[in-house]
């Protein structure tokens, strides 16, 4: 892929924030109601529970906790984006991210990229798109951290 090829991303609506991930990194969008709340050791990332997905137990996280934003009870339209964790341990090869609603496609054309980082956290950086702050999560770091937290269980 050349630097001028369009990049298909998904804009993920969070509570009081927005995240963007490459569409190829998201396997499926499912209903949050399928999430089974479980007691899990809490660490740097808030794990809300697990969801059964294609014979895998997928941890579901509040991405807001990664970027220092508050997270409340998911609403009636809440969804879960099943994302590739990119963590080589493969204990949990996918991570679920709670969404406020269905994500939308954003195609970044002609090599145009989001501007340089505005804010950074350990697990994500932010940029501006059409004046709005958007978070770009580091799914490899998130996957590694979640897998470490669950290994303590």
């Amino acid at each position: 892929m050349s630097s001028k090829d369009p990049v298909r991303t998904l804009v993920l609506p969070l509570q009081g924030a927005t995240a963007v991930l490459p569409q190829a990194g998201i396997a499926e969008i499912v209903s949050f109601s399928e999430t089974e709340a479980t007691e899990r050791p809490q660490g740097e990332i808030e794990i809300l529970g697990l969801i059964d997905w294609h014979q895998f137990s997928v941890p579901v996280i509040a991405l807001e906790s990664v970027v220092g934003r508050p997270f409340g009870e998911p609403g009636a339209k809440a969804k879960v984006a099943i994302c590739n964790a990119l963590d080589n341990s493969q204990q949990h090869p996918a991570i679920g991210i709670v969404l406020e609603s269905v994500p939308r496609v954003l195609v970044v054309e002609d090599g145009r990229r989001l501007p340089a980082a505005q804010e950074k956290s350990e697990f994500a950086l932010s940029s501006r798109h059409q004046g709005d702050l958007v978070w770009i999560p580091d799914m490899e770091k998130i996957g590694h951290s979640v897998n470490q937290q669950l290994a303590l269980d």
Side-chain angles (χ1 to χ4, degrees):
M1 177 162 67
S2 81
S3 65
K4 297 209 182 240
D5 288 340
V7 177
R8 293 179 63 83
T9 66
L10 286 180
V11 177
L12 309 176
L14 308 174
Q15 291 182 5
T18 303
V20 176
L21 280 174
Q23 189 172 17
I26 300 174
E28 189 173 354
I29 306 297
V30 299
S31 172
F32 177 78
S33 64
E34 298 174 33
T35 303
E36 178 185 329
T38 56
E39 290 296 319
R40 295 283 170 205
Q42 294 304 316
E44 298 172 295
I45 298 174
E46 186 172 353
I47 300 171
L48 303 174
L50 301 170
I51 192 168
D52 288 327
W53 178 75
H54 298 284
Q55 300 179 346
F56 288 103
S57 182
V58 176
V60 176
I61 67 167
L63 194 58
E64 292 84 346
S65 67
V66 171
V67 298
R69 301 292 193 261
F71 179 78
E73 195 67 30
K77 295 181 183 180
K79 303 290 183 197
V80 175
I82 306 294
C83 305
N84 299 319
L86 305 177
D87 177 37
N88 291 333
S89 73
Q90 295 301 311
Q91 178 186 2
H92 296 281
I95 301 292
I97 297 174
V98 177
L99 309 176
E100 279 289 280
S101 60
V102 177
R104 64 181 174 81
V105 174
L106 169 67
V107 179
V108 180
E109 299 280 351
D110 276 338
R112 288 184 10 226
R113 299 294 183 250
L114 295 172
Q118 304 285 310
E119 295 180 42
K120 292 182 182 181
S121 80
E122 182 179 355
F123 298 103
L125 58 87
S126 72
S127 185
R128 294 240 172 242
H129 174 68
Q130 296 179 344
D132 295 326
L133 187 69
V134 294
W135 287 94
I136 304 164
D138 183 335
M139 292 308 295
E140 184 175 5
K141 281 186 178 178
I142 291 170
H144 182 72
S145 181
V146 167
N147 278 311
Q148 282 187 323
Q149 281 177 234
L150 292 174
L152 298 174
D153 194 10

